[in-house]
Amino acid sequence: MGREQWKKIWVGSAGNMVEWFDWFVYATFAVYFADSFFPEGNETANLMNTMGIFAVGFFMRPVGGWLLGRVGDRRGRKAALTLTVTLMSASAVLIAAAPTYGTAGYGGVAVLLLARLLQGLSVGGEYAASATYLTEASAPGRRGFASSFQYVSMTAGQLVGLGLQIVMQRTMSEEALHSWGWRIPFIIGALGAAVVFYLRRSMLETEVYAESGAAEQKDRGTLKALWRHRREAFLVMALTMGGTVAYYTYTTYLTKFLSTSAGMEKSTASLVSFCALFVFMCLQPLAGLLSDRIGRRPLLITFAIGSTLLTVPIMTLLRHAGTFWPAFGLALLALVVVTGYTSINACVKAELFPTGVRALGVALPYALANAIFGGTAEYVALWFKKAGAESGFYWYVAGCAAVSLVVYLTMRETRDIDLGRVGAGRPEKQGAETSGSPDAPSVTPAS
């Protein structure tokens, strides 16, 4: 890979890291601020209320996917990416300044809710815009590798949040963290988003979009245009179902599961998540490269089979993992399985749609699936826990993976699709051997 290709990956994924840092620190620090916005009472109940607001952000993601997906298809990928980070910066400021229950009663909850709604709008568009940008800006035989950096940057954002939490746990008292320390990551997130806004103003538009003629199509980025590709839209929802539930189970929920169910110290649970996620992040480009050689379906099928068969035993053993190393080994095993989905799901979805509806086609159905399954995963887990049937959640995760497995087994392979001809009925073979072709997609300055 040349210098120019690495520059495209950096530009397309750097802002994504900050976006997902802001998104994930809410879940990461929820154990510290949950009691700040609700009356004193049951810790699990307050955490459920806080994570209920977390889930509300997911239900705004379809709206953000629709609005910002439309912007991405009508104004270009750069315009959508710049707008998403603006919304995320505003939401981080709101959370950092939100008044507590003791100061403003449920007024603080209202501010928290508004901030999560803005975050939902932002992330709903960010995923599709970055997935589309990274896929379109890549050489045809390297799309799996390049788009894998979406989850590299997503995981990096979460790692920065977890790393910050670990540092704060070791340098601040528990009282300080619960009182005011939890506001620090949101202040950092707001500043980071402001820097990314400046960087994204100089982004380059993808040549696939610039030369496709999509900018002249009257119905580009509309629901009417998307309806003509409804089969692909439903496919995106179905293939996302198992992956998003598994991903959020082993990332955002894992720390809380280890601390509240397995009885680990919060600091140890955070360290387990941090180390497992770091290895997980490093695996993404390797799996992306593998998909460029053998195709997307083998990785997806491997994930679904592994998640269906291993989720229950892994979660059961994690429930009784009292020390770092057993918990780390089990968490890493789970994330290795999930890599089959995360490393390539961005490019698989982008490869299904034509250029004029690609951003919306990725954004809206993916956001819907996340709202229904990913955003509610933690709440469902806590519901089972409160009902005294925590193991029911393990079977729920495995069942979602089993549904997606059926989809993976029946879907077509997308590796060799020509992005410029999707929907035209003229697929063209473009394997890894064309990666150096002068016709490979590149980027040109945006107007």
Side-chain angles (χ1 to χ4, degrees):
M1 296 219 3
R3 179 180 178 183
E4 186 64 25
Q5 187 68 31
W6 283 111
K7 181 178 179 181
K8 298 172 192 175
I9 292 174
W10 161 249
V11 172
S13 60
N16 198 45
M17 181 184 75
V18 176
E19 284 265 358
W20 290 96
F21 168 86
D22 287 338
W23 178 260
F24 280 124
V25 290
Y26 181 100
T28 303
F29 281 84
V31 292
Y32 292 109
F33 66 75
D35 293 334
S36 298
F37 295 98
F38 298 96
E40 292 185 8
N42 185 278
E43 181 181 355
T44 300
N46 283 347
L47 187 58
M48 283 185 69
N49 290 332
T50 307
M51 296 319 299
I53 296 176
F54 180 77
V56 167
F58 277 85
F59 284 98
M60 284 302 291
R61 286 175 66 167
V63 180
W66 168 52
L67 292 175
L68 296 170
R70 180 181 174 89
V71 170
D73 285 326
R74 299 185 73 85
R75 298 295 187 90
R77 317 315 186 199
K78 173 186 173 180
L81 286 168
T82 303
L83 183 55
T84 60
V85 78
T86 303
L87 293 172
M88 187 60 77
S89 179
S91 67
V93 170
L94 284 174
I95 298 177
T100 63
Y101 180 82
T103 302
Y106 285 107
V109 176
V111 173
L112 200 64
L113 181 60
L114 175 61
R116 285 301 293 178
L117 293 176
L118 288 177
Q119 284 192 335
L121 284 173
S122 175
V123 172
E126 171 67 27
Y127 175 88
S130 62
T132 302
Y133 185 88
L134 287 169
T135 303
E136 289 184 346
S138 309
R142 291 292 181 268
R143 289 199 299 255
F145 174 74
S147 64
S148 72
F149 279 86
Q150 183 179 48
Y151 268 83
V152 170
S153 56
M154 283 175 62
T155 307
Q158 190 172 5
L159 282 172
V160 172
L162 273 173
L164 179 61
Q165 184 184 59
I166 291 170
V167 170
M168 292 173 65
Q169 286 170 337
R170 283 159 171 72
T171 57
M172 299 176 64
S173 67
E174 191 81 1
E175 181 181 358
L177 281 169
H178 282 274
S179 176
W180 57 270
W182 60 265
R183 298 183 186 271
I184 293 175
F186 297 102
I187 296 173
I188 293 173
L191 295 174
V195 172
V196 170
F197 174 81
Y198 173 78
L199 293 174
R200 283 188 167 176
R201 293 183 64 186
S202 61
M203 284 183 70
L204 302 173
E205 191 57 84
T206 67
E207 188 174 294
V208 170
Y209 180 83
E211 295 186 353
S212 67
E216 284 72 47
Q217 297 173 11
K218 291 183 179 181
D219 65 347
R220 65 193 185 279
T222 64
L223 293 176
K224 179 181 178 181
L226 180 59
W227 182 249
R228 291 197 294 270
H229 302 276
R230 54 191 177 276
R231 182 181 180 278
E232 288 79 7
F234 285 118
L235 180 61
V236 168
M237 290 187 65
L239 67 87
T240 299
M241 178 182 176
T244 189
V245 171
Y247 176 76
Y248 280 99
T249 296
Y250 296 121
T251 55
T252 59
Y253 180 60
L254 180 64
T255 303
K256 287 183 283 296
F257 178 77
L258 291 175
S259 61
T260 61
S261 295
M264 279 190 179
E265 292 289 332
K266 290 178 181 177
S267 58
T268 303
S270 297
L271 186 61
V272 169
S273 292
F274 182 90
C275 294
L277 282 170
F278 180 81
V279 179
F280 170 75
M281 178 182 69
C282 296
L283 290 175
Q284 302 308 299
L286 299 178
L289 275 174
L290 182 61
S291 79
D292 286 329
R293 288 184 173 273
I294 68 173
R296 322 300 189 208
R297 289 180 67 246
L299 271 71
L300 291 171
I301 292 170
T302 300
F303 151 70
I305 293 175
S307 190
T308 300
L309 298 179
L310 297 177
T311 294
V312 174
I314 286 176
M315 294 295 290
T316 301
L317 290 171
L318 276 172
R319 174 71 174 76
H320 300 93
T323 58
F324 172 84
W325 286 109
F328 169 72
L330 290 166
L332 182 58
L333 173 60
L335 288 172
V336 168
V337 172
V338 174
T339 295
Y341 166 80
T342 55
S343 61
I344 57 171
N345 83 93
C347 66
V348 169
K349 294 161 188 172
E351 288 166 344
L352 292 172
F353 296 94
T355 306
V357 75
R358 183 168 292 132
L360 180 61
V362 174
L364 184 55
Y366 172 79
L368 284 169
N370 264 271
I372 298 170
F373 301 106
T376 59
E378 290 194 56
Y379 194 85
V380 171
L382 291 170
W383 182 87
F384 273 110
K385 178 180 173 62
K386 190 176 182 182
E390 191 167 30
S391 62
F393 177 67
Y394 315 161
W395 290 99
Y396 170 76
V397 177
C400 290
V403 173
S404 288
L405 174 59
V406 176
V407 178
Y408 303 152
L409 290 171
T410 57
M411 68 180 288
R412 60 173 173 158
E413 178 58 62
T414 62
R415 179 191 61 173
D416 297 324
I417 287 176
D418 181 349
L419 292 180
R421 299 186 181 185
V422 178
R426 295 178 299 168
E428 179 178 301
K429 274 291 227 189
Q430 289 186 317
E433 70 275 10
T434 65
S435 60
S437 167
D439 297 324
S442 58
V443 292
T444 54
S447 57

